[in-house]
Amino acid sequence: MTAASAPAPPAGPSPDGAGTFRDRLRGAFATALTGAAADGALPVAAADIPALVDQVRETADAKFGDYSATLAMGLAKKAGRKPRDVAIEVATRLPTAPGFEATFTPPGDPVGPGFINVRVRDDALAAAISAAFRDPRLGVPKVAAPATIVIDFSSPNVAKPMHVGHIRSTVIGDAVARILSFRGHRIITDNHLGDWGTQFGMIIWGWKHCRDDAAFAADPTAELGRLYRLVRRVADAKPEDLAADPQAAALAARHPAAGREVLEETAKLHAGDAENRALWERFMPACLADIERLYGRLGVSFDHWLGESFFQPFLADVVADLERRGLARESRGATGIFLDGDDKPPFLVRKADGAFLYATTDLATIRWRLEHWKPDRILYVVDHRQGQHFDQLFKTAGLWGVPGLDRVALVHVAFGTVLGDDGKPFKTRSGDTVGLESLLDEGVERAGAVIAADEGLAEEERRRVAETVGIGAIKYADLCQNRTTDYVFSYDKMLELKGNTAAYMQYAVARVEGVLEKGGIDREALRSAPPAIVPVDPRERALALAILRFGEVLEDVEADYRPNLLTTWLYDLAGRYSAFYDALPILKAAEPERGSRLALADLTGRVLRKGLDLLGIGTVRRM
RNA sequence: GCGUCCGUAGCUCAAUUGGAUAGAGCAUCGGUCUUCGGAACCGAGGGUUGCAGGUUCGAGUCCUGCCGGGCGUACCA
């Protein structure tokens, strides 16, 4: 079992015309290295070859060619030879690999300490663009070995309205699901709702002691959210909170044991108490309707909604099984697994009052998923602050001995916190957490103001465009950042029309639409009779090469579950298109350039749209 | 205290996981144009990558020690 990181995705390098350029080149390097090893020219074990060909990458600078290999430098030490000699040894064998010469120009002398630089042949580039142009997958190959991957994301606490804290898990998880699915994996998305924990004890206690029936009738989730916040203060009974909240202070004075009573309400719910169970069943539909409306607006959906309550029947057995195997034991009245010695905090699976914890649920969930879905990987798209929990969870699972655990990769896809411009967690001016709904509303409203300058849009269309641009901006701002770092939330930055933003990309798509519309081009006809591709200008070549990196980028995204690699590439692609479009006439050009450029423009538009779609971001024809 | 992540241009962030001269946007300054959508394109200035050592062909990235911060740390999730 791999707890910390994902297994390398199947590279599937093939030397013979299929796959991305990088795949083909890696295949050729594998052939060359295998040959060198067989001749005894280089000390290369077959098992080392995948890691070595991994060092074949896009060049940092176009002047070095299109792809570059750095493997000679590392190999030189093992071989006891000069890096340049090793590079020459490998490079001279490349042209003998099947299909190499049809796709690449033979590498020249190694550069610097031993870089092997390779350039794609222009005719191979043109052929690949033609193929991508006709391909519904836009030239992106499917993985050779599809995996079954469970993605656990969003997972809101249903007792309170969704807020800004849910956005990253939802947006990143959805994008990862879309990308891996397009890559050809079997994806199972599961919304592991928090629908059974102490938060329900709080709202049940609140319901019994301080509910507002009229408010509940008018807006159930708002009233439940109010109860949750209020009872939380009462139960925690922190002096500074109570000082700021007279109502909570009064309640706390009347109910000094509120904290214990909340836990008792939770325990009663878990024990099957009829009254609490009925309340839970009454609250749930309203909670679910609320969050489903938000998912609809975000364009996010799930295959399953197996929340904590679903796994409740299995929890006692999980603990019993852990005890039977000698993993879990009693301590201070609770039950836990001591993973790091007796003096370190254990991984608790049962509290002293007998109630179970989310650790218990997570273990039961793993077992259930293994039994029913037989996944190769389970991804948890969850806040980095829960890193320690997942360390302990994965460690415990590794010791557990449930069938299938030895061959599943459990991965915590962690992400940073959303901050306000003061560098602290994003809050409203009054210090409350920001509701997701109002966050989206403000984004859409501001987007509306930005696009208001366009005179040609009818009111109805303008609203639709504002929704697409506003929500796209919020999602993109999140996805374009390295997911492991915290990021500062700023409407002004995310709605910039230049730079690495959704609006810039959406605008690039709309410009492509504009050109084709202006030229009266029938895109279906264009695609059924594709024009010859003649990339004569360096800017055309750069654009074509970028388009064909789509599949490589998606592979890189999967390797570390990093959607920001996709946004970076999309921004680069849109920039190359702008440079191309600015410098070279399309409609006014003579054949064969006209047809070639029309095809490049159309293909760029489709690739940009597909790339944004894989991020869960929509596009518009006009904006 | 222990664990963990981070410190990169004035600001917000990248950097293909050890590769070639550390890149973008905003802001500042300058240029292009008889607009296929100028919401564009091209360019300039701006850096001792927190500090000090070390490892090697090569370090923002790995190791050690400091300085400064975020987060987590027994019965919430």
Side-chain angles (χ1 to χ4, degrees), chain A residues 314-323 349 359-360 363-365 367 400:
Chain A
F314 312 120
L315 302 185
D317 181 64
V318 167
V319 175
D321 193 47
L322 289 166
E323 285 175 323
V349 291
T360 331
L363 286 166
T365 305
R367 188 169 72 178
W400 196 8

Side-chain angles (χ1 to χ4, degrees), chain A residues 17 20 48 101 276 326 373 453 473 476-477 521 589 607:
Chain A
T20 62
D48 296 336
E101 291 197 299
N276 283 10
W373 293 334
Y476 194 94
I521 306 300
V607 166

Side-chain angles (χ1 to χ4, degrees), chain A residues 249-260:
Chain A
L251 270 167
R254 242 181 300 142
H255 302 277
R260 181 175 50 76

Side-chain angles (χ1 to χ4, degrees), chain A residues 351-493:
Chain A
K351 302 199 288 185
D353 65 4
F356 302 111
L357 296 107
Y358 80 140
T360 331
T361 314
D362 281 353
L363 286 166
T365 305
I366 289 176
R367 188 169 72 178
W368 192 92
R369 285 171 175 168
L370 288 174
E371 191 182 331
H372 292 83
W373 293 334
K374 299 185 171 35
D376 302 295
R377 292 178 229 168
I378 303 175
L379 312 183
Y380 297 85
V381 185
V382 180
D383 195 318
H384 78 279
R385 283 175 290 196
Q386 294 190 39
Q388 190 172 13
H389 167 73
F390 284 107
D391 283 347
Q392 293 182 315
L393 176 69
F394 297 165
K395 228 182 252 181
T396 301
L399 298 168
W400 196 8
V402 166
L405 264 177
D406 50 335
R407 50 170 286 275
V408 70
L410 304 174
V411 185
H412 178 202
V413 179
F415 54 82
T417 311
V418 180
L419 307 175
D421 41 20
D422 56 357
K424 295 182 184 149
F426 192 56
K427 295 273 170 67
T428 62
R429 231 170 251 146
S430 57
D432 295 328
T433 58
V434 178
L436 191 49
E437 186 106 63
S438 60
L439 184 92
L440 298 183
D441 285 342
E442 181 155 2
V444 169
E445 186 189 328
R446 290 188 184 224
V450 168
I451 61 173
D454 191 316
E455 65 294 337
L457 294 180
E459 184 52 35
E460 163 64 20
E461 187 178 3
R462 187 199 305 282
R463 261 212 315 278
R464 244 187 24 248
V465 171
E467 181 83 8
T468 304
V469 172
I471 290 184
I474 291 170
K475 286 185 165 191
Y476 194 94
D478 193 323
L479 292 163
C480 75
Q481 206 123 150
N482 186 322
R483 63 171 168 78
T484 59
T485 55
D486 296 345
Y487 86 96
V488 176
F489 190 94
S490 162
Y491 289 112
D492 290 335
K493 286 206 159 55

Side-chain angles (χ1 to χ4, degrees), chain A residues 106-258:
Chain A
D109 286 340
V111 188
F115 292 91
I116 305 168
N117 295 331
V118 171
R119 188 180 156 91
V120 177
R121 290 172 57 121
D122 285 352
D123 54 356
L125 193 59
I129 286 286
S130 292
F133 188 78
R134 289 188 302 267
D135 181 3
R137 291 183 56 83
L138 304 168
V140 176
K142 288 195 175 188
V143 290
T148 299
I149 304 170
V150 175
I151 308 184
D152 181 324
F153 69 100
S154 196
S155 307
N157 209 321
V158 298
K160 43 184 173 170
M162 287 180 80
H163 56 84
V164 62
H166 297 111
I167 190 146
R168 295 205 85 182
S169 176
T170 306
V171 168
I172 294 171
D174 180 56
V176 168
R178 288 166 183 260
I179 290 164
L180 299 197
S181 177
F182 184 60
R183 293 254 298 146
H185 294 297
R186 291 178 293 270
I187 300 301
I188 299 170
T189 53
D190 187 11
N191 195 4
H192 191 72
L193 294 171
D195 60 1
W196 199 247
T198 310
Q199 74 275 19
F200 271 98
M202 291 195 189
I203 57 176
I204 288 170
W205 190 92
W207 180 266
K208 290 178 178 175
H209 293 90
C210 47
R211 71 174 179 271
D212 178 339
D213 284 315
F216 184 78
D219 187 346
T221 49
E223 170 62 3
L224 293 178
R226 181 189 74 86
L227 289 177
Y228 174 82
R229 287 190 299 274
L230 176 62
V231 176
R232 188 183 184 110
R233 283 185 180 169
V234 174
D236 289 352
K238 288 187 196 159
E240 65 269 27
D241 288 348
L242 296 180
D245 186 341
Q247 194 189 1
L251 270 167
R254 242 181 300 142
H255 302 277

Side-chain angles (χ1 to χ4, degrees), chain A residues 67-89:
Chain A
Y67 292 90
S68 181
T70 57
L71 51 86
M73 281 87 89
L75 218 45
K77 188 153 200 174
K78 273 175 76 178
R81 296 169 62 181
K82 287 185 192 163
R84 283 183 61 89
D85 293 347
V86 174
I88 291 168
E89 184 76 53

